[in-house]
Amino acid sequence: MQKQIHIKNRKAKFQYEILDKYTAGIVLQGTEIKSIRNGKASIAESFCEFNEQGELFVINMTIEEYLYGSHYNHKPKAERKLLLNRRELKKLEKEVKNTGLTIIPLSLFINDNGLAKMVIALAKGKKLYDKRETIKDRESKRRLNRINKSFN
């Protein structure tokens, strides 16, 4: 049994307000899937963009070179195509162009069939005061949990 690979973008929920989530497949080449299976990928600084043909690509996603890949290895920061239904792509493209929202990757995982999938989200950037509010909420929840533990 293989170990579960689940690479997360931890800062996404802090920097963005998540509006809608989608699960997309990724077009990978050569040794990229082997590096992902080893957990050697990062989506921390990545984002998604549409090209002229209406295809969705993830940009700035890092997949480290495969250790045993010789000269057939892949580029670590290449653009990678995301696979969604045409209806979903049209909806996302319309939202991004009309309302100025962004598409960010939330997590990268390997499903039961061994295929790499990415959870992407339609998101709106938070302002500084929204981020402060998030920090206040987190701190108050933490304080309440400590108080509850001391009484139990």
Side-chain angles (χ1 to χ4, degrees):
M1 179 153 164
Q2 65 182 12
K3 63 177 183 172
Q4 290 288 351
I5 302 298
H6 203 81
I7 299 162
K8 293 182 181 178
N9 186 355
R10 294 173 190 255
K11 286 199 168 193
K13 289 183 180 171
F14 180 69
Q15 293 177 339
Y16 297 95
E17 179 184 333
I18 291 27
L19 302 175
D20 208 359
K21 291 182 184 178
Y22 298 93
T23 302
I26 311 172
V27 177
L28 297 173
Q29 297 173 354
T31 55
E32 290 176 335
I33 188 68
K34 293 182 179 190
S35 291
I36 290 174
R37 284 190 184 127
N38 287 339
K40 305 286 186 189
S42 170
I43 57 173
E45 298 293 323
S46 57
F47 59 96
C48 301
E49 277 187 348
F50 285 95
N51 67 357
E52 298 84 36
Q53 289 82 28
E55 299 171 330
L56 187 62
F57 284 86
V58 62
I59 297 166
N60 217 12
M61 174 180 155
T62 306
I63 300 177
E64 290 182 26
E65 288 186 350
Y66 185 57
L67 190 60
Y68 309 107
S70 71
H71 65 278
Y72 294 109
N73 241 328
H74 60 275
K75 295 178 189 165
K77 286 236 182 221
E79 294 181 1
R80 293 168 180 92
K81 185 176 176 181
L82 294 177
L83 304 172
L84 285 164
N85 291 334
R86 185 173 288 133
R87 182 179 64 246
E88 292 173 332
L89 284 171
K90 295 280 185 203
K91 181 181 174 188
L92 282 171
E93 192 171 18
K94 186 177 77 172
E95 289 286 337
V96 168
K97 284 187 176 167
N98 292 346
T99 58
L101 300 174
T102 57
I103 303 170
I104 54 165
L106 294 179
S107 67
L108 174 67
F109 65 96
I110 295 180
N111 70 0
D112 297 334
N113 299 333
L115 301 174
K117 300 282 184 178
M118 183 178 278
V119 176
I120 59 173
L122 191 62
K124 179 179 165 185
K126 282 186 182 179
K127 303 281 188 236
L128 183 62
Y129 56 85
D130 290 335
K131 292 179 187 177
R132 287 183 188 142
E133 192 72 31
T134 304
I135 292 170
K136 278 185 198 173
D137 292 342
R138 191 182 328 134
E139 291 296 323
S140 64
K141 283 180 186 176
R142 213 176 271 158
R143 222 175 283 120
L144 283 172
N145 287 337
R146 284 186 193 138
I147 293 169
N148 285 341
K149 282 184 181 179
S150 66
F151 283 120
N152 289 337

